[in-house]
């Protein structure tokens, strides 16, 4: 059995000091990536997130996107990526339909988060990826506070890892389970 959370975990064991990730001048070894992923995963668990919970992310390309995917997988959570080109009503539909409890947003999407906020029925935590934001947790604070130890949440290869929404011409986007 091999799950999404095993990628940084096994990479750290086999290639600890080798470069795992390069993004806009930032470099992370497999060990560093795995530690950041563990810290975020443990921080999410510390917020009360449980196996089977869902989170959404609204951001453009960043290395943190990968960390979110891996951390959610290690916590037994699934990720629903949001397309920043969608309308407010489409985003609201996806977040609510996915039953996400965490809403993560990147730089430039603070206003959109505030506009959506009152319409999101299940969101318990909002996390700002890039800049501290009023009424939201800050991503790097969670990384700093989380334990670097592997969370050891039992995850099966049949557990939901990603809930991707398709666009269509016949109505609202529909969730596809991966």
């Amino acid at each position: 059995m091999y799950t999404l959370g095993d990628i940084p975990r096994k990479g750290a064991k086999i290639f600890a000091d080798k470069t795992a990730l390069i993004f806009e001048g930032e470099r992370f070894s497999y060990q560093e990536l795995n530690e950041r992923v563990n810290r975020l995963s443990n921080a999410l668990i510390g917020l009360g997130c449980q196996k089977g919970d869902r989170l959404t992310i609204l951001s453009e390309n960043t290395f943190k996107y990968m960390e979110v995917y891996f951390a959610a997988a290690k916590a037994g959570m699934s990720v629903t990526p949001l397309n920043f080109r969608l309308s407010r009503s489409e985003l609201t539909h996806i977040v609510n339909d996915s039953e996400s409890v965490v809403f993560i947003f990147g730089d430039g999407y603070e206003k959109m988060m505030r506009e959506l906020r009152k319409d999101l029925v299940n969101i318990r935590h909002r996390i700002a990826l890039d800049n501290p934001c009023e009424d939201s947790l800050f991503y790097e604070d969670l990384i700093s506070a989380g334990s670097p130890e592997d969370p050891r949440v039992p995850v099966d290869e049949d557990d939901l890892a990603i809930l991707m929404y398709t666009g269509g011409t016949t109505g609202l986007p529909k969730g596809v389970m991966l």
Side-chain angles (χ1 to χ4, degrees):
M1 175 179 74
Y2 198 75
T3 67
L4 191 58
D6 289 324
I7 295 172
R9 182 182 293 122
K10 291 184 187 254
K13 284 183 182 177
I14 299 169
F15 308 110
D17 296 326
K18 293 192 186 261
T19 302
L21 197 61
I22 302 171
F23 183 80
E24 294 182 351
E26 298 251 18
R27 298 175 86 85
F28 297 94
S29 70
Y30 280 94
Q31 186 63 43
E32 291 167 328
L33 174 63
N34 190 55
E35 183 177 312
R36 285 179 59 86
V37 166
N38 287 344
R39 287 178 177 279
L40 179 58
S41 186
N42 284 313
L44 290 169
I45 293 167
L47 291 173
C49 295
Q50 301 174 9
K51 181 177 178 179
D53 280 348
R54 298 175 180 171
L55 67 80
T56 54
I57 180 168
L58 177 63
S59 177
E60 294 180 27
N61 195 20
T62 174
F63 69 91
K64 294 174 184 177
Y65 221 110
M66 292 293 293
E67 292 176 343
V68 167
Y69 269 89
F70 292 141
K74 283 190 173 195
M77 300 174 70
S78 67
V79 175
T80 297
L82 298 173
N83 183 336
F84 59 86
R85 292 181 180 95
L86 294 177
S87 70
R88 180 179 166 184
S89 64
E90 289 170 315
L91 291 171
T92 300
H93 166 74
I94 291 170
V95 175
N96 288 336
D97 187 67
S98 70
E99 299 178 351
S100 291
V101 297
V102 177
F103 186 94
I104 300 175
F105 58 97
D107 187 31
Y109 297 100
E110 297 86 355
K111 181 180 177 192
M112 178 60 75
M113 183 278 302
R114 283 191 291 276
E115 290 173 359
L116 294 172
R117 186 175 167 178
K118 66 178 174 18
D119 298 322
L120 304 179
V121 296
N122 296 305
I123 296 298
R124 296 191 309 253
H125 305 287
R126 289 170 309 286
I127 301 171
L129 273 182
D130 304 302
N131 304 301
C133 185
E134 186 178 316
D135 296 330
S136 298
L137 301 167
F138 182 48
Y139 185 85
E140 290 299 331
D141 290 344
L142 293 173
I143 296 279
S144 295
S147 167
E149 300 301 316
D150 195 293
R152 301 279 181 220
V153 174
V155 178
D156 186 79
E157 61 189 5
D158 292 325
D159 290 342
L160 181 63
I162 301 168
L163 185 59
M164 182 78 70
Y165 277 73
T166 64
T169 56
T170 60
L172 292 168
K174 294 160 189 65
V176 177
M177 297 184 295
L178 302 171

